[in-house]
Every structure is written in structure tokens, then in C-alpha cells.
């Protein structure tokens, strides 16, 4: 993990992870940060990195980096009014047509040599083109309100996690084991590729290769931000922190064993793809920080990534599966029928639903949760961003 900026120059990076509809949580966190800033128009994150749905949020911020608060408001308006049909076809005709294509192509070998998936994500293409002005990235870089923005996608042929970044010309590309950084001018295709969940959404061709969701085999999600020059990072996760729970309570809650449904299996696979690598990378970075404290700065070998990196993590205080289960009735009728067989409309299968439920009720509850979780850490956020601490009453920070 190396950076392109001098270690004594504070460069703050923002990392927005993947997770389909779960990325609504990030909007609440960003809204809280905008409220904490003395000047909401000033972008506090020179480096912005995103993966999957987090890539869309990241580029949305970068496109509006000349006015951070306004960029957050624009993203909030989209997420607060979301409906599933804005992301993928959820009408009867669209669902049945895509399902028949998937069966014919994948099981019977019929059809043209085109990428096929269970869902038709063409509406997402239209949404991105309508809502994002990519010229804002170059403008923000020119006016030094943005150092770089990056999105990561997985190359199905090369088997590399490719980070496509746009930023200052002084940032060098990189190549590590199955991880590369490629300078480019970001476009709609990069966002569609990064957010293309395997099997669910079709792969996207960029140049000569097809790409899928960047969370696939992304072993070091924090690394791109460091390569782009960040030396402190704010990570906004989309997974409930299990450390808040007692292991005995979890074990005691397990009932008589039942065969897992396809939705349960799929939920665990999605969690493994989107969450496990990030948590592992954070743990590794914390260990490296501890190691760096044991070595005097003048004795640290150059190029080994031993300079300390400040990390602040904000993640959901409540399990998002449970929230999705409460809103499962919002899923369009055609999709409810389509997902009923695998068990995704049951409480036990809500893991898959938490990634696919792009409906206003669910998204707004996640936004509110993200806002409250960020406000609960307002002192830590203020210290991290170098802001004046919030006022304290009777030894406790004001959270309302």
C-alpha cells in the first residue's frame, strides 16, 4: 500500500463500498457530513473511491465536487425517490423476457453471444446518463477541488481487479498481484461494469474485455485510495457490525436446523463478495499501523507501506437484512413472484432482498440510519476532518 503524495501532507480519502440498494446508507452518512461542515460547498475528500453501487455514489460526488453539499443533495433526491424499475426491469414483460433469455442462453445454449443475466439493468444506464454530468470531474480536478476519483471493476478474462481512475496527471498507474490501476476518462460504462453483480446483472464490455462487479476478488478495497495519494481514509460500510452482538446470544437464537434456501445461500455469497474483503483489509491496515508505531519514522524502509494511515469506519448499527424484511412488500409483484421460489421474499432470505430492494421506503430508512450513525460519531468525524468539535453539554456531545 503506497501513496503518490508525501506522507506529511494530509490527503483525505473517502471509500464507498458496494452493495446494491444497501448503498442508500452511504447517502445518510454523506448528508450528516455535509451538515457538519462549516462550508458545505467545500469538498472534504480530495480522493474518492467507489465499488459497485458505491461507485455510482462516488462518481456522483466527484461530478459535483465543486459544491459538495449540492452534490449530496442531488444524490439524496435520487435515492429518496427510488423505485426498482429505475435500476432494472421489474414489469411482468421485462421480468419474463429476461428470465426466458437466461434459461435459453445459460441452460439450453440458445441465443446470440451476448452477456446474459437474471435481470435487465438497462434502466440504470438511462438513470446514470440523466443524473450525472461527467464533465464536472475534470472541472473539479482543474480547480483543485478533487485529486482523483476511482471505480473498480473485475475483468472476467484477465481475472484482475481493475481500478479505473480520473485525476491529476501526476498520479502514476500501478500493478500489483491481480490489482491494477488504469488512468482514464470515466464514463457510464465504467459505472455499469463496477455495479454489475455477477449473475444478477449483465457484464459490460470496456475496450476488449468484459467486466463485472468490482467487489469480486477485490482483495484490498482500501489500496486504490492510498495509491491515489490518500493517507487517511473514511470508510463507509454497508454491513452491520457483528462485534456489537454477543456470540452466546447468536448461538442461542439458532433454532432446529433447516435446509438453506437458495436465497439464504445467495445472501451469504453476496455478503462474502461485498463485505469480507473490506473487513479483512481494515484489519490488515490496523495491524500495519500498530507495527509502524514500533518503528521510528527515520528507520521505516521506503516503499513498504509502513507509514501510518488513519482510518475511520462508519457502518450500520442495525442489520440491513432485518430492515429489508420489513419492506419486502414493496417489491414489485412480478419480482415477488420471481423471487418467491428461491425464498427471497421470506425473512430468512432477506439477505438477497437487501441488495435488490430499490424502493423508497427501504432506501429512506437506510438513509435515516446512515445519518443517525454518522451523527452518533460526530466528535470522531470532526476530529478526523479537522473540524471544530461540536458543543458538549454535561460531558456529552449534542447529537440532535
Amino acid at each position: 500500500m503506497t501513496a503518490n503524495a508525501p506522507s506529511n501532507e494530509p490527503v483525505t480519502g473517502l471509500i464507498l463500498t458496494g452493495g446494491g440498494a444497501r448503498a442508500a446508507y452511504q447517502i445518510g452518512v454523506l448528508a450528516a457530513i455535509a451538515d457538519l461542515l462549516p462550508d458545505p460547498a467545500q469538498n472534504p475528500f480530495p480522493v474518492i473511491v467507489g465499488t459497485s453501487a458505491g461507485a455510482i455514489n462516488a462518481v456522483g460526488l466527484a461530478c459535483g465536487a465543486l459544491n459538495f453539499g449540492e452534490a449530496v443533495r442531488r444524490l439524496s433526491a435520487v435515492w429518496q425517490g427510488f423505485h426498482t424499475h429505475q435500476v432494472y426491469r421489474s414489469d411482468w414483460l421485462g421480468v419474463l423476457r429476461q428470465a426466458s433469455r437466461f434459461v435459453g442462453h445459460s441452460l439450453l445454449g440458445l441465443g446470440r453471444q451476448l452477456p446474459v443475466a437474471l435481470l435487465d439493468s438497462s434502466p440504470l444506464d438511462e438513470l446514470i446518463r440523466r443524473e450525472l454530468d461527467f464533465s464536472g470531474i475534470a472541472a473539479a480536478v482543474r480547480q483543485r477541488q478533487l485529486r482523483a476519483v476511482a471505480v473498480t471493476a473485475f475483468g472476467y478474462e484477465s481475472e484482475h481487479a481493475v481500478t479505473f481512475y480520473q485525476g491529476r496527471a501526476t498520479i502514476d498507474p500501478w500493478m500489483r498481484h491481480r490489482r491494477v490501476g488504469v488512468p482514464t476518462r470515466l464514463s457510464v460504462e465504467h459505472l455499469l461494469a463496477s455495479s454489475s453483480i455477477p449473475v444478477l446483472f449483465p457484464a459490460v464490455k470496456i475496450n476488449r474485455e468484459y467486466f463485472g462487479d468490482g467487489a469480486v476478488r477485490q482483495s484490498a478495497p482500501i489500496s486504490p485510495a492510498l495509491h491515489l495519494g490518500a493517507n487517511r481514509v473514511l470508510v463507509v460500510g454497508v454491513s452491520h457490525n457483528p462485534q456489537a452482538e454477543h456470540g452466546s446470544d447468536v448461538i442461542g437464537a439458532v433454532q432446529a436446523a433447516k435446509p438453506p434456501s437458495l436465497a439464504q445461500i445467495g445472501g451469504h455469497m453476496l455478503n462474502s463478495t461485498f463485505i469480507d474483503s473490506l473487513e479483512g483489509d481494515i484489519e490488515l491496515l490496523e495491524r500495519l499501523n500498530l507495527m509502524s508505531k514500533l518503528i521510528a519514522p527515520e528507520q521505516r524502509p521506503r516503499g513498504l507501506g509502513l507509514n501510518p494511515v488513519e482510518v475511520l469506519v462508519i457502518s450500520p448499527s442495525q442489520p440491513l437484512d432485518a430492515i429489508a424484511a420489513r419492506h419486502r412488500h414493496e417489491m414489485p409483484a412480478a419480482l415477488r413472484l420471481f423471487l418467491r421460489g428461491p425464498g427471497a421474499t421470506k425473512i430468512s432470505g432477506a439477505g438477497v432482498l437487501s441488495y435488490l430492494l430499490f424502493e423508497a421506503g427501504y432506501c429512506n430508512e437506510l438513509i435515516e440510519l446512515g445519518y443517525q450513525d454518522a451523527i452518533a460519531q460526530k466528535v470522531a468525524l470532526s476530529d478526523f476532518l479537522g473540524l471544530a468539535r461540536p458543543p458538549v453539554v454535561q460531558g456529552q456531545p449534542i447529537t440532535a
Side-chain angles (χ1 to χ4, degrees), residues 141-227:
V141 173
R142 284 195 304 269
Q143 298 188 36
R144 307 188 75 80
Q145 291 298 307
L146 183 68
R147 177 180 173 84
V149 58
V151 302
T152 300
F154 173 71
Y156 283 107
E157 292 295 326
S158 65
E159 298 185 1
H160 280 63
V162 180
T163 298
F164 299 98
Y165 67 89
Q166 181 175 346
R168 298 181 188 175
T170 55
I171 300 175
D172 297 325
W174 63 88
M175 179 173 290
R176 298 293 185 269
H177 179 65
R178 297 192 184 279
R179 294 183 287 117
V180 298
V182 178
T184 190
R185 181 175 289 273
L186 293 176
S187 66
V188 174
E189 286 71 27
H190 294 98
L191 299 189
L192 293 175
S194 182
S195 58
S196 179
I197 302 174
V199 181
L200 295 177
F201 298 134
V204 177
K205 191 175 185 180
I206 299 177
N207 298 326
R208 298 183 178 180
E209 186 174 10
Y210 278 98
F211 287 87
D213 199 294
V216 178
R217 299 184 71 173
Q218 187 183 30
S219 58
I222 297 176
S223 178
L226 306 186
H227 281 292

Side-chain angles (χ1 to χ4, degrees), residues 378-379 389-400:
K378 62 160 47 177
V379 172
R389 283 201 172 196
V392 176
V393 177
Q394 296 182 347
Q396 297 294 326
I398 297 175
T399 59

Side-chain angles (χ1 to χ4, degrees), residues 63-82:
C63 289
L66 292 179
N67 191 324
F68 178 79
E70 180 61 27
V72 172
R73 282 191 290 272
R74 285 182 61 88
L75 285 171
S76 298
V78 173
W79 281 95
Q80 288 172 343
F82 243 145

Side-chain angles (χ1 to χ4, degrees), residues 309-328:
V309 177
E310 184 180 359
V311 181
L312 177 63
V313 181
I314 298 180
S315 58
S317 58
Q318 300 177 28
L320 303 192
D321 295 10
I323 297 176
R326 293 201 298 269
H327 292 274
R328 62 187 186 276

